[in-house]
Amino acid sequence: MAFSGVSTTSPTALQLLNWGADNGGYVLQNGQWWRLVSSTFVHVGVIHLATNMWCLWNLGLLGEPLLGPVGTVIVYLLTGVAGNLLSIAMNPDLPGGPNSVVGAGASGAIFGLAGVLIVLLKSKLLPVPEFELKRLRRSVIYFAVLNFVLGGATMLVPSVIRIDQMAHLGGFLSGLALGVPLVPRIGSVREDFTRRQWIAFVGMGFFLALLAYGIFSFHRSQT
């Protein structure tokens, strides 16, 4: 983006959209559903990128040993899409409309990783001392709460930067939901856990497809 002339500190909404940012109108009215995925890799400048990558690094250090490399990537994608779906459901307008948001960034998926970790670290089957599991889980909960509070606080301050709390909430809730079916097999034989993972991933993918269809159908009935 920078090499093409996009500002590294304050890119415009149009520039972000040209590079794959999310927008309810573009998705629901123009059928550009790929933005639900592409927007999780687009960031609003280097500071936004750096802070998200720092969060992703720290949560990834916890998540990858539990979920595996492939599992971590899939959780990132599924929860990122879930966050964007909730965002476009609440903000369905094209840019310039009263309910329009141009969304970009990994934060919805980061909240998704936090959600799944909060559930998985509750398991007593993991080969880790219980006090250490509690400490790790508490730190992830603090991370999620702090960022939700900070995001809510920014809504009270006049600014050109808007934090998409719906994307955060959607990612977090889907992460919690993904973690629930994984807990019974966490800490068991790796093959058993991997099988349970794929069942959960396919189930979540199917649910998100139904949710997307429901959002689209509801929006179409209102226009």
Side-chain angles (χ1 to χ4, degrees):
M1 291 171 69
F3 290 149
S4 70
V6 177
S7 170
T8 58
T9 57
S10 55
T12 67
L14 181 59
Q15 288 173 331
L16 293 172
L17 288 167
N18 288 339
W19 280 89
D22 186 35
N23 173 261
Y26 276 55
V27 173
L28 296 172
Q29 298 181 39
N30 298 345
Q32 298 178 4
W33 292 92
W34 49 268
R35 291 182 180 275
L36 299 178
V37 176
S38 64
S39 60
T40 65
F41 300 98
V42 178
H43 285 80
V44 189
V46 293
I47 295 177
H48 186 213
L49 175 64
T51 53
N52 270 353
M53 292 307 98
W54 181 82
C55 294
L56 184 60
W57 172 265
N58 283 279
L59 291 175
L61 289 175
L62 288 175
E64 190 171 346
L66 298 176
L67 298 164
V70 175
T72 303
V73 172
I74 294 176
V75 168
Y76 178 96
L77 294 173
L78 286 175
T79 58
V81 168
N84 285 331
L85 277 174
L86 183 56
S87 178
I88 66 169
M90 302 301 295
N91 307 288
D93 291 349
L94 286 164
N99 295 305
S100 173
V101 168
V102 175
S107 52
I110 289 170
F111 271 90
L113 283 170
V116 76
L117 284 171
I118 287 172
V119 176
L120 293 184
L121 291 173
K122 183 70 174 176
S123 173
K124 299 183 183 300
L125 300 176
L126 292 171
V128 180
E130 186 175 352
F131 76 91
E132 183 66 14
L133 285 178
K134 288 182 177 179
R135 184 187 68 82
L136 292 172
R137 187 168 182 266
R138 189 163 53 245
S139 67
V140 178
I141 292 173
Y142 287 163
F143 163 84
V145 171
L146 177 62
N147 280 278
F148 272 124
V149 170
L150 289 175
T154 60
M155 298 175 67
L156 304 176
V157 180
S159 172
V160 295
I161 298 175
R162 293 180 59 189
I163 293 180
D164 191 349
Q165 286 285 72
M166 289 299 102
H168 292 179
L169 180 62
F172 184 69
L173 293 177
S174 63
L176 292 175
L178 261 179
V180 171
L182 300 182
V183 168
R185 288 292 181 269
I186 190 76
S188 62
V189 178
R190 191 70 193 180
E191 289 75 13
D192 290 344
F193 181 65
T194 301
R195 189 180 306 112
R196 178 63 68 95
Q197 267 190 314
W198 281 107
I199 293 173
F201 293 158
V202 171
M204 177 61 75
F206 181 69
F207 171 76
L208 293 179
L210 288 178
L211 181 60
Y213 179 75
I215 293 170
F216 173 72
S217 298
F218 177 80
H219 172 74
R220 186 171 56 180
S221 70
Q222 299 299 306
T223 57

